[in-house]
Amino acid sequence: MDVEALSGIPQQVSTGALPAWESVEELVREAHRRYTDDRSGTVADYIPVLAEVDPELFGLAVIEVDGGTHDAGDALHPFSIQSISKMFVYALAIQEHGHQRVRDIVGVNNTGLAFNSLMALERNAGHPMNPMVNAGAIATTALVPGATAVEQWERIREGLSAFAGRALSLDGVVYASEAATNERNRAMGWLLRSYGRMSGDPDEIVDVYTRQCALSVTAHDLAVMGATLADGGVNPVTGQRVVSADVCRDTLAVVASTGLYERSGEWLFEIGLPAKSGVAGGIVAVSPGKGAVAGFSPRLDSAGNSVRSQLAIGHLSRALGLNLFASAPAATVRTNA
Ligand code: GLN
């Protein structure tokens, strides 16, 4: 992403709370307008059906921890969640098994390699290294409780629905398209098994993983899901507790360092927020204690991250003062208020 594009936006500090609802609303609309004409990047085509999407779609949503909602453009247009599911399934796995066990099995470090790298597994004796790349995500899916793959899938669908505050369903067309072409992920499942890193049937586990990636969401849903992690695990729209506050902290820490694949360091340096992307064009960024910003637009950069979503979220991070690393002396902030 070209961060020069953000250079005109004043950097507000993260000290304090979000601006008033009306100001947030105006900034969300402005961010949407500003990047509508950016047509850079290309739509993912390694999952055949994703190549057929309208590349012009562009939605933006912000949900505040007090339940305040902002939607712009195609914020209610459905698309498949893809890799963004990884962060929420990871949260469910830690909720079930605890911090240390999941850390030992899946790891928390960046691989420095593409999200679907087999080499990363081979280099580390089959240890997946982190849960946001495919190998680690498949190993994480294997940890979801359930006596059968069907039960595990139901548990994931229910868990992600609780994050979203509505019943999410499978996009059967995306699922079928990916299931017919996911040899690489199946290879990863078997490689994990060959190293003794995963129990269970690799084909069944990869099938559950493929289903979780094909869950249909909107940018609005992603913002509610992210806002639940920003709100100590309580969904700010439904009021339901989904995971514990500790689970949110663990999940956001790992997402901050690995959520945008090999661009994660650059993103954290420029934007300063944990964020997770998916190849269908979604990105959700979480501002702990404040809320979440989600974007959807199908054209991607070379690492597989939506271009317009990155720009619009980057814009809002600056304008709303979400960068976790940007502070100012509290006295100054109070005087300026
Ligand atoms: N389902 C996709 C895959 O496993 C998810 C990848 C992504 O969104 N980056 O390849």
Side-chain angles (χ1 to χ4, degrees):
M1 184 188 69
D2 181 9
V3 289
E4 290 303 313
L6 301 175
S7 59
I9 299 135
Q11 173 69 72
Q12 305 295 339
V13 297
S14 84
T15 313
L18 279 176
W21 186 92
E22 292 73 15
S23 311
V24 179
E25 179 74 6
E26 182 45 39
L27 286 166
V28 171
R29 291 184 185 291
E30 193 204 328
H32 186 270
R33 268 195 307 274
R34 187 185 274 247
Y35 301 109
T36 299
D37 293 335
D38 190 318
R39 296 193 164 71
S40 43
T42 46
V43 169
D45 59 4
Y46 78 99
I47 299 172
V49 76
L50 293 186
E52 293 165 20
V53 72
D54 175 1
E56 292 305 327
L57 289 164
F58 181 26
L60 200 54
V62 172
I63 305 291
E64 306 181 23
V65 288
D66 68 1
T69 297
H70 310 271
D71 287 335
D74 301 309
L76 300 180
H77 186 90
F79 56 96
S80 53
I81 187 168
Q82 296 297 341
S83 275
I84 303 167
S85 65
K86 292 169 180 167
M87 75 191 270
F88 298 101
V89 174
Y90 184 64
L92 298 178
I94 310 180
Q95 181 71 43
E96 182 68 24
H97 298 283
H99 174 107
Q100 199 58 42
R101 174 133 195 263
V102 179
R103 184 183 164 155
D104 291 346
I105 295 174
V106 190
V108 290
N109 283 318
N110 216 312
T111 64
L113 293 165
F115 68 87
N116 55 0
S117 174
L118 283 156
M119 197 167 73
L121 265 183
E122 289 283 23
R123 267 208 329 215
N124 298 295
H127 194 282
M129 304 303 284
N130 95 61
M132 300 299 132
V133 294
N134 289 12
I138 292 165
T140 304
T141 295
L143 295 176
V144 172
T148 61
V150 174
E151 278 182 30
Q152 284 182 305
W153 159 239
E154 240 345 273
R155 177 78 189 83
I156 289 174
R157 205 185 59 74
E158 276 167 17
L160 269 59
S161 296
F163 273 111
R166 73 174 183 97
L168 300 177
S169 54
L170 184 78
D171 181 329
V173 176
V174 171
Y175 165 69
S177 183
E178 184 163 359
T181 55
N182 66 350
E183 296 85 359
R184 204 179 169 83
N185 286 339
R186 294 214 300 273
M188 234 169 256
W190 283 100
L191 202 51
L192 283 164
R193 162 85 174 255
S194 79
Y195 278 108
R197 302 279 185 187
M198 194 173 77
S199 49
D201 178 337
D203 284 334
E204 285 189 358
I205 294 162
V206 171
D207 184 63
V208 175
Y209 166 79
T210 307
R211 286 172 189 272
Q212 83 184 44
C213 288
L215 270 174
S216 184
V217 293
T218 65
H220 178 95
D221 290 329
L222 288 180
V224 178
M225 295 171 87
T228 302
L229 291 175
D231 193 30
V234 172
N235 183 315
V237 177
T238 63
Q240 186 193 346
R241 172 163 294 285
V242 182
V243 288
S244 72
D246 286 354
V247 165
C248 295
R249 184 205 56 218
D250 289 350
T251 304
L252 294 177
V254 88
V255 167
S257 61
T258 63
L260 296 197
Y261 313 116
E262 56 287 23
R263 296 272 157 76
S264 300
E266 206 176 306
W267 172 268
L268 202 56
F269 187 69
E270 300 292 351
I271 312 301
L273 281 180
K276 186 74 204 83
S277 66
V279 285
I283 300 188
V284 60
V286 178
S287 171
K290 291 184 177 174
V293 187
F296 162 59
S297 193
R299 290 193 192 93
L300 312 177
D301 69 13
S302 60
N305 303 315
S306 164
V307 175
R308 280 177 178 153
S309 299
Q310 287 182 80
L311 289 167
I313 294 171
H315 179 106
L316 287 170
S317 168
R318 286 190 165 224
L320 292 171
L322 305 182
N323 187 323
L324 296 173
F325 307 109
S327 62
T332 329
V333 176
R334 281 192 206 105
T335 312
N336 288 349

